[in-house]
């Protein structure tokens, strides 16, 4: 954990982290990995909108949200929520996602006729599900919650797809581990906070900042993106992610989500000043230290 | 329809179009819109892998596959299947996706306890589903197939989310139209074919070609992407889409999916020659005419 967080800790006994999902969910795992060694209090939200609402209601709440997955791709909706929320990214974490197929402790394969999980987890286990066509595939709000409900309500015949951590937490039997189709299954999570809180953090760890995320609009002109990227390159700023999104209703304009990495914070700041006149609606989504991962 | 297709038609009585999904699915609608005025025979496949298998088995088969959606984002898996398949894009179509909530003709809202559809359709109707928590959300292979099964098996209490076209086709009652959360819900479909077939088409409609899709790898170097985009800009080539994907296991290299638009085919060809030495593994996924849409 970087210095800023230790500074913050002096003033607060326990950080409040809003996540989508419940105890044992991948957001929970990522939050505990990111804030390793610190005591955190989870605020479990039913959806990503509620994560941002929690921060709006209490500026001390920190949010943790998935932003992209190597299999499922970018969570465009979360990009949009982040852009609109006015919160700032203060960190990131990359988590290897491995799913388990779990059931009630006194049941086995032959007893099962239904599987419950979050739609993205189901998507990531498509091959496994195709091999078990007898299972009715039922969407739930969350991976861990699916396991919890089966256990609490003693739902015979139901299996869940969730993390091994969730299975252990809710006393479920793991029938098969690593059921995700593609083993290169990683999710990148962003840690977001109220701008007021970010400013406080930033005074103390500017040195550690080597990454930034931004979104801007460009006219659909030959070379408008090339100009922006050339300037970033002149300032020795590296691109680590770029994604264009058409702006519906504005046919000739595009929105670009760009992540950059750099060694020199001042040079980075200068590059932003240099590209601003060539872009429209440039919005910095956050400046942070490149993420740790459990990879 | 462009001239190439009419040429082709002289030699074949009916085009065989492989789609993911069944009659009444959005792929079916897109295929009929794209090949308007032509007789087509659908080959309905359970998944996208089977679409490519159909083309491999019979080089005269044309594939139609969703590649990106304004809400759900890029279908990364289809990008990858396309890249690996060796097929070429010969066209595109942009379809406005509007979902309906449908049930058996003799049932009504009060009778329903379960809703069936394709996971992406369910995702696009999340707000509607949240408003109806009494409905168990069950994933199916396809939107239209969900409606078909409910009708065929007379599944009381079941609703489906599908197109109005599918509801009409299978004699289902439409309880609510336009239940997608975001009305700016568009899917871009690609038309793909065996390279042998593409060559035949290409002789006759090079004039109409004003778009191309490609994928290449770049070292994670300051400015490597900026150099490539600068060259494209010098040749008056427009970017219409760019998306970077990290290559798992090759930490410092990135894969880029890029779509370009141009007026001058020769200039475009020259630009590809010019960028090739600066990229690795450049692969042209297809050259085609910009897509019509029903927007």
């Amino acid at each position: 954990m970087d210095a800023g967080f230790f500074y913050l800790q002096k003033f607060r006994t326990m950080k409040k982290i809003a996540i989508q999902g419940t105890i044992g969910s991948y957001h929970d795992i990522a939050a505990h990995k990111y804030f390793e060694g610190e005591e955190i209090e989870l605020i479990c939200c039913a959806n990503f909108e509620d994560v941002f609402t929690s921060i709006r209601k209490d500026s001390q709440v920190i949010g943790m949200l998935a932003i992209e997955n190597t299999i499922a791709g970018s969570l465009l909706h979360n990009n949009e929520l982040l852009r609109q929320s006015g919160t700032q990214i203060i960190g990131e974490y990359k988590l290897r996602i491995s799913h388990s197929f779990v059931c009630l402790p006194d049941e086995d394969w032959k007893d099962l006729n239904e599987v419950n999980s979050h739609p993205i987890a189901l998507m990531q286990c498509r091959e496994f599900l195709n091999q078990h066509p007898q299972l009715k595939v039922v969407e739930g709000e969350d991976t861990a919650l699916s396991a919890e409900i089966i256990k609490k309500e003693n739902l015979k015949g139901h299996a869940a797809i969730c993390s091994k951590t969730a299975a252990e937490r809710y006393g479920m039997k793991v029938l098969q581990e690593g059921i995700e189709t593609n083993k290169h299954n990683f999710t990148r999570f962003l840690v977001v906070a109220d701008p007021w809180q970010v400013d406080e953090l930033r005074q103390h760890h500017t040195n550690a900042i080597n990454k930034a995320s931004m979104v801007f609009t460009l006219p659909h002109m030959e070379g408008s993106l090339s100009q922006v990227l050339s300037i970033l390159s002149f300032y020795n700023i590296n691109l680590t992610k770029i994604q264009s999104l058409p702006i519906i209703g504005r046919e000739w304009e595009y929105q670009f989500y760009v992540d950059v990495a750099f060694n020199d914070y001042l040079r980075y700041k200068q590059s932003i000043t240099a590209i601003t006149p060539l872009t429209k609606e440039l919005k910095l989504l956050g400046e942070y230290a490149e993420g740790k991962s459990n990879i």
Side-chain angles (χ1 to χ4, degrees), chain A residues 145-170:
Chain A
L145 188 63
S146 297
E148 188 183 2
I149 290 172
I150 293 170
K151 189 68 197 308
K152 256 195 191 158
E153 303 182 6
N154 196 36
L155 298 176
K156 300 280 182 198
H158 284 230
I161 289 176
C162 62
S163 67
K164 216 181 142 190
T165 309
E168 284 161 7
R169 162 113 204 165
Y170 298 111

Side-chain angles (χ1 to χ4, degrees), chain A residues 73-284:
Chain A
S74 283
L75 284 83
L76 297 185
H77 183 55
N78 286 0
N79 269 324
E80 186 58 19
L81 285 176
L82 174 61
R83 191 177 68 82
Q84 290 177 355
S85 71
T87 60
Q88 287 278 301
I89 305 166
I90 59 168
E92 62 171 5
Y93 191 83
K94 291 165 199 158
L95 183 71
R96 164 82 168 86
I97 305 286
S98 182
H99 297 298
S100 293
F101 184 69
V102 314
C103 66
L104 288 168
D106 54 348
E107 292 204 305
D108 215 324
W109 287 97
K110 60 173 182 359
D111 306 310
L112 304 172
N113 51 50
E114 178 171 323
V115 55
N116 307 150
S117 196
H118 187 274
I120 291 188
L122 294 169
M123 187 193 300
Q124 291 167 343
C125 300
R126 190 61 55 203
E127 230 165 66
F128 171 87
L129 293 173
N130 288 345
Q131 286 159 11
H132 301 279
Q134 79 283 7
L135 296 172
K136 185 170 181 172
V137 180
V138 178
E139 292 190 356
E141 251 179 43
D142 177 61
T143 53
L145 188 63
S146 297
E148 188 183 2
I149 290 172
I150 293 170
K151 189 68 197 308
K152 256 195 191 158
E153 303 182 6
N154 196 36
L155 298 176
K156 300 280 182 198
H158 284 230
I161 289 176
C162 62
S163 67
K164 216 181 142 190
T165 309
E168 284 161 7
R169 162 113 204 165
Y170 298 111
M172 295 287 278
K173 179 157 110 186
V174 176
L175 289 179
Q176 193 171 331
E177 284 183 50
I179 61 164
E180 62 279 6
T181 305
N182 190 323
K183 306 303 166 197
H184 298 310
N185 188 7
F186 298 90
T187 295
R188 178 172 167 242
F189 293 87
L190 296 179
V191 188
V192 300
D194 183 273
W196 175 86
Q197 204 181 37
V198 175
D199 285 343
E200 187 181 308
L201 288 168
R202 199 172 274 156
Q203 298 168 28
H204 301 269
H205 70 159
T206 310
N207 293 345
I209 291 177
N210 58 1
K211 230 182 140 176
S213 296
M214 66 190 87
V215 54
F216 53 79
T217 305
L218 285 177
H220 180 58
M221 249 174 43
E222 284 155 9
S224 57
L225 179 63
S226 140
Q227 289 172 359
V228 169
L229 299 193
S230 291
I231 292 177
L232 292 177
S233 149
F234 297 153
Y235 280 84
N236 302 119
I237 308 300
N238 258 318
L239 251 74
T240 63
K241 184 185 172 187
I242 181 164
Q243 178 161 19
S244 65
L245 293 175
I247 309 177
I248 306 290
R250 285 158 67 182
E251 211 174 332
W252 298 104
E253 287 185 81
Y254 284 77
Q255 210 169 46
F256 294 87
Y257 279 88
V258 170
D259 285 356
V260 295
F262 45 85
N263 298 317
D264 184 336
Y265 183 74
L266 178 65
R267 265 281 184 260
Y268 150 73
K269 279 303 210 188
Q270 291 166 338
S271 78
I272 297 300
T273 305
I275 64 168
T276 300
L278 297 177
T279 61
K280 275 176 70 179
E281 304 163 84
L282 176 77
K283 190 165 187 171
L284 287 175

